[in-house]
Amino acid sequence: MAEVMKKKRNKDTRPNLGNSIYSLTHEELQTWLENHGEPKFRATQIFEWLYQKRVEYFEEMTNLSKGLRDKLNESFTITTLETVVQQKSQDGRTMKFLFEMNDGYTIETVLMKHDYGYSVCVTSQVGCRIGCTFCASSIGGLKRQLESGEIVSQVIKVQKALDEQGERVSSIVLMGIGEPFDNYEEIIAFLRTINHNKGINIGARHITLSTSGIVPRIYDFADEKTQVNFAVSLHAVTNERRSKLMPINKAYPLEKLLPSVKYYNETTGRRVTFEYGLLGGENDSPDEARALAKVIRDYNLNIHVNLIPVNFVPERDYVRTPRSQIFEFERTLKEEGINVTIRREQGHDIDAACGQLRAKERKKETR
């Protein structure tokens, strides 16, 4: 049976509301320091305390003057998340956290152990407005955007759990609750901090961002020319079926989405991943696989397809595709010359589906 730890916390013990210092990029922190009469080289020292030594109080930053520490205390907070629920799968390879923020809202973060290291899946919004009909994240809609510091804090909290084992986060995926491109500026700030060599220092090619298909932001992100891995949640190759699964397709149908993916290929020189969730009886036939291959060829896209056996969500009316049919879908794509893998499944014995733990633990919040 999965291991579950719950922590009850008195409302009065929540951290004081304030701006998280994690929300400042290195460059923004330099500007803040100069505006407050401090040399900007202190930004590197502060980053080292925050992200390498992972202190929880400004008083611990002993190579800073007391005056600067007082200024930081007056302007910022460090700790912004408290663990409410922590689940661990029976095989020990997956941990799921439900974190509470200063305003009482909760978010999910997942730690996954792979053969190549530890990956953290972070949340970008409280809830989601995209409304994908197979996903628990959008139950109750969007409550608010996360600040970049609240996204950074998720990685820090998980890293502290790994510190006890002498391990390190090696990769990040932005595939938790929310649509990253619906919170674009905060996501870009988050990426700059976790990629910074004095920050969490995760290499860009060890970071993956996934979008449901907000086309204008795909063009913007292509122009950023980062080395971050980029994925698009596709799930269907006709507008009728995709609009049923993903209402965002009504605003950005395939004839707009696919050219933006082509632009990304051409501008960055990098391959894009199509995330394709397999839903029993909906989009998982060999004919659908051949149609997917045709779309990729017709648009001359540089694509890798990641097949996802979708987790069952009680609030959603979909069933899992049988294993034999998953392998048949994969085999059909390979016969069509398409690069394809099946995503490894983890955490079946805990609330594995994105948004499922929050929906169960905070029913009022997800109404």
Side-chain angles (χ1 to χ4, degrees), residues 181-194:
F181 279 177
D182 194 29
N183 192 15
Y184 187 80
E185 291 183 359
E186 298 299 317
I187 288 298
I188 295 299
F190 164 75
L191 292 174
R192 287 176 179 151
T193 294
I194 63 169

Side-chain angles (χ1 to χ4, degrees), residues 179 181 211-216 218 232-233 242 246 248 252 257:
E179 162 54 60
F181 279 177
T211 180
S212 60
I214 300 181
V215 167
I218 294 176
V232 174
S233 295
R242 193 166 188 270
M246 307 176 70
I248 193 172
Y252 304 113
L257 174 62

Side-chain angles (χ1 to χ4, degrees), residues 352-366:
C354 185
Q356 192 171 358
L357 177 57
R358 174 172 169 263
K360 182 176 78 173
E361 295 292 333
R362 295 294 175 97
K363 291 187 176 5
K364 289 183 180 179
E365 189 177 318
T366 55

